Amino acid sequence: MPVTYTRQGRIGIITIDNPPVNALSQAVRAGLMAAADAFAADDGAEAAVLCCAGRTWVAGADISEFGKPPAQPFLPEVIDRIEALDKPVVAALHGTALGGGLELALGAHARIAAPDTRMGLPEVTLGLLPGAGGTQRLPRLVGLEAALDIITSARQVPARQAADLGMIDQVADGDLTAAAMALAEELAGQPPRRTCDRPAPAAEDAQAEVLKAQLARKLPGQIAQQVAVDTVTGGLALPFAQGMAQERAAFRRLMDSPQRAALIHAFFAERAVAHLPRIKGIASRPLDRTGVIGGGTMGAGIAVACLLAGLDVTLIERDAEAAAKAQGTVETLLEGAVKRGKLAATRRDEILSVAFRTDTDYAALAQADLIVEAVFESMEVKEQVFAALDRVAKPGAVLATNTSYLNVNRIADATSRPADVIGLHFFSPAHVMRLLEVVVADRTAPEVVATGFALAKRLKKIAVRAGVCDGFIGNRILSHYRAAVDAMVLDGASPYQVDRALTDFGFAMGPYAVSDLAGLDIGYLTRQRKAADRHPRDRVPVFADRLYELGRLGRKSGRGYYRYEGGTPQEDPELAPLLDQVRADLGISPRNFSDEEIVARTMAAMVNEAARVVADGTALRPLDVDVVMLNGYGFPRWRGGPMHWADARGLDRILSDIDRFAAEDDHFWHTAPLLRELAAQGRSLADLNGGTSA
Ligand code: 3HC
Ligand code: NAI
């Protein structure tokens, strides 16, 4: 029984117990109806407390039911039933009161919360809007502006702020249950204060339009936020019941939208990546004391990520000067966290005096549980570093490399303990980006893999298991679609048009803006390194080499593809003649590309390589690719990731695109056999996810 009704004196107690997060499944909804009836019929009860067992108050509707036929009783009816009771109900909140969970609380007649409770309406992040009264009850409690902010931002409001806003009545000082019982005693015998009876705040169309325009700029292409604003303001002009009906209709419309399916796929995919059969039940090794080798862009960021998670960090650099520089970078990054309110200044001081140190002697790593190497991207240098680590690291220490592309098996060979070696591929900036590719080499021990995943959890990052190959999951796919994009520029497309077409599609940044951010030297040096292995028919982005040779290294030199006078990127009229010259030198007659063509080619290349990455086991499932591209490469979340997008577009259409492109260039364009097989069998990539994604 996920919902029970009991009584203590004159107070009825309704308890929801549906682990792990008390989601409002059909059984819980039915249980709540029955409990409301039991309380109504219990003449000995004059008020009730509604509470939850376990780690949290209700975290929302049961997302796994979305996309399936809805089952009665529906949540709005359940909440209406509770609100309509003629004896007061006190909601006692703890943990996270989210979505339908918060809406349930808003339908109670009073709300009290433990001090560390957080509450919010995150539905827009799932492509939905609050569909059980949130758009109509919340503004009646907190006013229009705060309600629109909470609903469209999906932010979690801490308990004290919620009390100040009027979302809840009280923050419980001591024991939550005792405080809720006391409040129920106080209200017993009084008529219930129904949120629906409160006056609706006035909604101005002009205000709504301004907010919608802001949201459209910030979240291009996303519909849920737009519909949410209209539903809140439109509903408030109507009597409550009609406002509710309008909300329900909008909720159902969004439920049927592809954006909802994509966002919920992303939600479950991000959780499914953590369930690796190979490490199920395997304990991780300790990871309190960490070491980082190299304090450049990545090493300093990795050190800060570890320090912010409460780990002890020793950072090794080549010499005293480099160590002092790394110390400065770490201090600056921590200062940034203080400025953003993420870290107390006193805690920062404590970290710098107790938990962090730099050194130039590898012997300082003798006690480290886990060491992450982030030195230059050179096999020779990495082999030297791992040989040195092998001499100083204690037995059982996990030895990790942050390499972007190099062969982790070879790096492991530089040690006498390959079972302890793993790739931990962080993304830049490492203290901000949530993705961590855990690269499992041939001989990596399962408990070392488990430690990689445990580290990610400790750092609040999303870990995805990847196999060894050139670039693992993300960078391998990136290299491939980058080649398709560069080929379009060689053939006549403008980098600015490419960037615009792909940001219009929803990417956070276009590929050429990304190059400018990373620095054009990185791509140049990679091309130099790989030049010897190049096939004569590989298409080289000679224009990128020209920019490098001109010292146009991107943002850091003030000029790359774009100009950065004053910080913001501006298109540069000097780029077109440079491109024309490169094309003329190569004997290419430039042609036009439509935006659709740019997106089709980029996506076909991405999906094609991703299918190969899945087929050869580099990624376990298509959903692992989606999680990598969503969290490391700016892929639009509301499109679910390239594999989800491919299924939605239809594999047949992608195959016919690839065939069309192959007719022009059959060196680059080869259909991945997996795509052809799935299409021939009428199956989708999602069928390979093993039922782990909605
Ligand atoms: N429905 C179904 N399952 C859910 C769920 C939900 N609402 N929320 C979490 N879960 C599941 C997760 O899939 C996970 O399952 P797994 O262990 O099998 O992988 C398990 O619960 C634990 O979740 P997390 O790993 O995310 O646990 P955390 O402690 O890190 O986070 C949380 C807890 C903050 C509650 C987080 O899970 C979360 O944000 N959940 C979603 C909240 C949400 O979006 N609610 C709104 C739903 S839409 C809605 O309510 C519509 C309404 O307006 C009608
Ligand atoms: P970087 O050049 O900024 O930093 C490298 C640092 O390593 C320098 O400070 C250097 O002094 C130090 N170093 C070199 N040899 C050393 C040694 N033997 N002992 C101690 N320190 C040594 O390079 P970056 O960008 O931080 O990259 C480091 C690694 O991370 C590379 O393997 C790179 O491929 C990878 N990586 C880089 C990403 C990025 O966006 N920059 C993203 C993910 C991975």
Side-chain angles (χ1 to χ4, degrees):
M1 289 293 284
V3 184
T4 50
Y5 175 75
T6 55
R7 179 151 61 77
Q8 217 173 299
R10 57 178 184 155
I11 308 300
I13 301 171
I14 302 171
T15 308
I16 304 174
D17 187 2
N18 183 32
V21 297
N22 288 314
L24 291 160
S25 62
Q26 191 278 336
V28 172
R29 300 195 300 273
L32 279 169
M33 276 298 202
D37 290 344
F39 168 53
D42 183 355
D43 291 337
E46 292 176 46
V49 169
L50 174 54
C51 59
C52 287
R55 61 168 152 145
T56 181
W57 171 265
V58 175
D62 186 339
I63 301 174
S64 64
E65 289 182 356
F66 291 178
K68 299 178 186 157
Q72 287 185 332
F74 302 133
L75 187 56
E77 294 159 12
V78 175
I79 297 173
D80 284 352
R81 170 77 182 107
I82 291 169
E83 189 174 51
L85 286 165
D86 51 17
K87 298 183 280 191
V89 175
V90 174
L93 316 183
H94 74 289
T96 38
L98 301 176
L102 180 60
E103 292 173 298
L104 175 65
L106 300 178
H109 308 113
R111 285 153 294 280
I112 181 165
D116 56 357
T117 313
R118 302 178 71 82
M119 45 208 104
L121 294 170
E123 284 86 343
V124 289
T125 63
L126 301 172
L128 292 167
L129 50 67
T135 68
Q136 301 306 301
R137 288 195 180 91
L138 187 62
R140 284 174 161 82
L141 286 168
V142 303
L144 182 66
E145 202 177 325
L148 284 174
D149 165 44
I150 290 165
I151 290 168
T152 58
S153 71
R155 75 184 174 92
Q156 291 185 8
V157 184
R160 298 213 182 272
Q161 200 185 350
D164 291 344
L165 284 169
M167 204 192 301
I168 60 172
D169 301 83
Q170 272 182 37
V171 178
D173 280 334
D175 178 61
L176 173 67
T177 313
M181 292 295 283
L183 180 58
E185 284 286 354
E186 204 180 301
L187 297 178
Q190 293 180 30
R193 297 173 306 182
R194 298 190 181 102
T195 310
C196 66
D197 292 338
R198 287 170 175 255
E204 281 176 39
D205 287 348
Q207 190 186 357
E209 290 310 315
V210 169
L211 178 60
K212 278 167 64 184
Q214 276 169 3
L215 288 164
R217 273 197 303 279
K218 202 168 133 210
L219 305 162
Q222 300 198 38
I223 54 173
Q225 289 79 358
Q226 303 286 321
V227 179
V229 174
D230 285 340
T231 307
V232 171
T233 52
L236 292 177
L238 303 169
F240 183 78
Q242 281 177 39
M244 287 290 285
Q246 182 183 288
E247 177 194 85
R248 197 73 198 147
F251 182 78
R252 291 227 163 103
R253 247 189 355 263
L254 289 177
M255 187 62 93
D256 291 337
S257 74
Q259 293 196 6
R260 191 279 305 161
L263 287 161
I264 283 176
H265 164 73
F267 178 89
F268 282 114
E270 283 173 358
R271 282 152 183 84
V273 288
H275 300 302
L276 271 196
R278 194 173 165 221
I279 57 167
K280 195 163 189 251
I282 292 188
S284 71
R285 293 186 186 167
L287 46 77
D288 294 319
R289 275 174 299 187
T290 57
V292 175
I293 307 185
T297 310
M298 293 308 291
I302 294 166
V304 168
C306 293
L307 291 167
L308 291 174
L311 301 175
D312 179 276
V313 178
T314 302
L315 187 150
I316 304 292
E317 258 292 352
R318 287 184 291 176
D319 50 41
E321 196 184 329
K325 191 167 170 223
Q327 172 88 29
T329 313
V330 167
E331 285 174 11
T332 307
L333 294 176
L334 289 174
E335 181 59 25
V338 172
K339 284 203 178 116
R340 287 194 311 278
K342 300 252 176 235
L343 182 70
T346 48
R347 176 81 191 110
R348 184 260 327 265
D349 297 344
E350 200 176 75
I351 286 174
L352 287 172
S353 60
V354 181
F356 180 64
R357 66 211 66 83
T358 58
D359 210 308
T360 53
D361 185 351
Y362 280 45
L365 298 176
Q367 294 309 315
D369 301 315
L370 179 145
I371 301 165
V372 186
E373 163 279 312
V375 303
F376 304 131
E377 184 76 343
S378 143
M379 182 54 88
E380 207 186 332
V381 180
K382 299 215 191 255
E383 280 175 339
Q384 282 165 12
V385 168
F386 275 77
L389 275 182
D390 196 23
R391 289 191 289 274
V392 300
K394 68 180 181 184
V398 172
L399 310 181
T401 171
N402 182 48
T403 179
S404 306
Y405 287 94
L406 300 176
N407 186 331
V408 184
N409 287 318
R410 258 187 78 184
I411 294 174
D413 283 341
T415 72
S416 62
R417 35 175 138 177
D420 295 337
V421 177
I422 193 165
L424 290 179
H425 183 219
F426 289 79
F427 288 71
S428 180
H431 61 298
V432 176
M433 296 288 282
R434 288 187 71 210
L435 182 63
L436 180 69
E437 277 181 309
V438 176
V439 185
V440 180
D442 292 348
R443 285 157 294 167
T444 309
E447 66 271 22
V448 171
V449 180
T451 310
F453 275 78
L455 176 73
K457 196 163 187 186
R458 189 88 183 253
L459 305 185
K460 296 200 169 62
K461 294 195 188 293
I462 301 174
V464 178
R465 178 242 171 242
V468 175
C469 66
D470 193 23
F472 319 123
I473 300 176
N475 280 346
R476 177 168 149 194
I477 296 172
L478 168 71
S479 299
H480 197 73
Y481 74 80
R482 235 351 259 251
V485 166
D486 286 340
M488 285 188 273
V489 171
L490 282 171
D491 288 339
S494 139
Y496 306 130
Q497 186 198 359
V498 169
D499 276 3
R500 266 195 307 274
L502 292 173
T503 48
D504 285 352
F505 176 79
F507 274 94
M509 280 174 94
Y512 295 100
V514 169
S515 291
D516 276 1
L517 190 65
L520 268 64
D521 45 334
I522 303 223
Y524 178 83
L525 295 174
T526 309
R527 281 192 296 283
Q528 296 289 99
R529 187 157 48 81
K530 295 188 171 171
D533 304 331
R534 203 176 280 155
H535 187 281
R537 287 187 65 194
D538 285 352
R539 306 207 51 199
V540 181
V542 183
F543 53 88
D545 293 348
R546 292 283 171 280
L547 291 175
Y548 171 85
E549 286 151 11
L550 290 168
R552 295 176 61 149
L553 302 186
R555 272 178 192 261
K556 63 182 159 196
S557 69
R559 222 167 158 197
Y561 290 95
Y562 296 82
R563 308 171 73 114
Y564 293 91
E565 285 105 16
T568 47
Q570 311 280 338
E571 295 187 11
D572 184 350
E574 287 176 26
L575 187 66
L578 183 148
L579 289 168
D580 286 342
Q581 188 59 54
V582 166
R583 291 170 190 137
D585 292 348
L586 295 168
I588 296 169
S589 327
R591 65 182 174 99
N592 288 328
F593 288 82
S594 67
D595 288 0
E596 294 73 41
E597 182 77 356
I598 289 170
V599 170
R601 283 175 181 263
T602 309
M603 289 307 301
M606 193 183 300
V607 170
N608 207 21
E609 188 63 12
R612 286 191 275 260
V613 159
V614 170
D616 69 18
T618 300
L620 280 180
R621 300 149 295 194
L623 67 82
D624 296 70
V625 170
D626 284 342
V627 172
V628 166
M629 300 313 289
L630 290 175
N631 291 286
Y633 297 83
F635 194 93
R637 193 176 174 84
W638 53 274
R639 292 194 190 270
M643 305 274 80
H644 179 88
W645 177 88
D647 280 345
R649 180 169 166 85
L651 298 185
D652 280 338
R653 284 172 76 189
I654 291 167
L655 287 176
S656 79
D657 278 349
I658 297 174
D659 288 343
R660 184 162 58 89
F661 306 146
E664 282 170 25
D665 177 357
D666 62 1
H667 171 65
F668 180 79
W669 293 101
H670 287 281
T671 310
L674 178 66
L675 289 181
R676 228 182 259 297
E677 271 164 40
L678 289 172
Q681 295 161 359
R683 296 168 74 211
S684 64
L685 287 156
D687 291 335
L688 306 179
N689 284 335
T692 38
S693 166

